[in-house]
Amino acid sequence: MDRKTAVVTGAVRGIGRAIALRFARDGASVVVNYRSSDPDELVREIEALGVSCLAVQADVSDYAQAEQLILAAQDKFGTVDYLINNAGITKDKLIMRMSEEDFDSVTDTNLKGAFNTIRHVTPIMMKQRSGAIVNITSVVGLFGNGGQANYSAAKSGLIGLTKSVAKELGSRGITANAVAPGFIETDMTKDLPENIKEKLLDSIALKRYGKAEEVADLVHFVANCKYMTAQVVSIDGGM
């Protein structure tokens, strides 16, 4: 992967961090996108692997900031070979208590954020006639979840976006796929009440939670599979 460049949104923690490190271990230059978390430790970790790293602060839900993220990557490394849309937030509430802001902020980041980065990276990938886009959706985007109407809608929309983009860009050698994690051990999930965690564990065939590194391995494989596009690949332990 020498001279390849990967842009990872929401890269400082959890699954995003594991993905950034996975691409770095294979020799790709990595652009670490973040909104508020401190990226310095991750940058040092990536550079210790002997590859270049650029940290770019940008809120991908903002069209102009997403453009600046992609332009910064192109300016630094000359190209973008991989775009991994991982940035996401949750604001869980029952639909009867969910505010308009709760819905809009989640869909703006989790769905529109992916559109924004894809929109701006498309001319680069089309010109070089190659590239891979991997969108991190969720199993709740496939079957829904009570209390997560906003999150489920955004993640389901991400699947439709992925399939449409794949059909539009396939003739230029660009792939677009989605990876749908189940319950993965991250900062976002560790604070769930124990009774919820136990209930989730009962629904998982392998009787354990997934690891961010396992998701990262799958994302890396999907991004480098040249004849796979418009697919949704679940990694949920048989949930």
Side-chain angles (χ1 to χ4, degrees):
M1 295 181 67
D2 291 345
R3 296 181 296 279
K4 297 284 189 179
T5 300
V7 175
V8 184
T9 69
V12 173
R13 298 185 298 167
I15 291 172
R17 179 187 183 88
I19 292 170
L21 288 167
R22 182 65 181 83
F23 278 85
R25 278 194 291 272
D26 261 12
S29 301
V30 181
V31 178
V32 171
N33 161 249
Y34 66 103
R35 184 173 64 176
S36 57
S37 300
D38 185 352
D40 291 349
E41 181 182 345
L42 176 59
V43 171
R44 287 192 295 269
E45 210 171 330
I46 289 173
E47 290 179 340
L49 295 170
V51 298
S52 298
C53 181
L54 174 68
V56 180
Q57 185 174 23
D59 181 349
V60 294
S61 70
D62 183 283
Y63 188 81
Q65 290 187 47
E67 181 179 27
Q68 290 306 308
L69 165 63
I70 299 301
L71 290 177
Q74 184 183 34
D75 183 61
K76 174 70 173 178
F77 297 113
T79 186
V80 177
D81 300 288
Y82 305 96
L83 171 63
I84 314 300
N85 281 310
N86 171 75
I89 63 171
T90 58
K91 289 195 175 181
D92 297 350
K93 284 179 185 168
L94 294 174
I95 191 71
M96 66 182 294
R97 295 184 181 137
M98 187 174 291
S99 68
E100 182 180 15
E101 192 277 332
D102 290 332
F103 190 88
D104 288 349
S105 61
V106 170
T107 54
D108 282 351
T109 297
N110 298 17
L111 178 56
K112 185 171 180 261
F115 160 77
N116 289 341
T117 56
I118 293 170
R119 170 63 183 82
H120 295 306
V121 85
T122 292
I124 299 171
M125 290 185 171
M126 288 183 70
K127 185 176 181 179
Q128 67 196 23
R129 300 188 72 86
S130 67
I133 299 165
V134 182
N135 297 318
I136 308 303
T137 180
S138 168
V139 291
V140 304
L142 297 170
F143 53 70
N145 194 35
Q148 289 191 309
N150 48 3
Y151 188 77
S152 299
K155 292 300 189 179
S156 182
L158 199 52
I159 292 171
L161 176 64
T162 300
K163 290 177 176 289
S164 297
V165 167
K167 292 180 183 296
E168 287 188 26
L169 303 183
S171 64
R172 296 299 185 98
I174 301 164
T175 63
N177 294 285
V179 168
F183 191 83
I184 309 299
E185 293 177 344
T186 66
D187 290 343
M188 190 181 287
T189 58
K190 71 179 182 181
D191 293 329
L192 286 173
E194 286 303 317
N195 63 317
I196 299 296
K197 290 182 180 180
E198 291 173 7
K199 184 178 179 181
L200 285 166
L201 193 61
D202 286 341
S203 70
I204 299 171
L206 292 179
K207 299 305 175 188
R208 69 173 179 87
Y209 307 127
K211 299 183 183 303
E213 292 76 15
E214 293 172 317
V215 178
D217 285 341
L218 177 59
V219 170
H220 183 268
F221 168 77
V222 168
N224 286 285
C225 191
K226 303 299 184 185
Y227 200 58
M228 175 187 289
T229 196
Q231 303 304 305
V232 182
V233 187
S234 295
I235 176 167
D236 59 11
M239 192 172 179

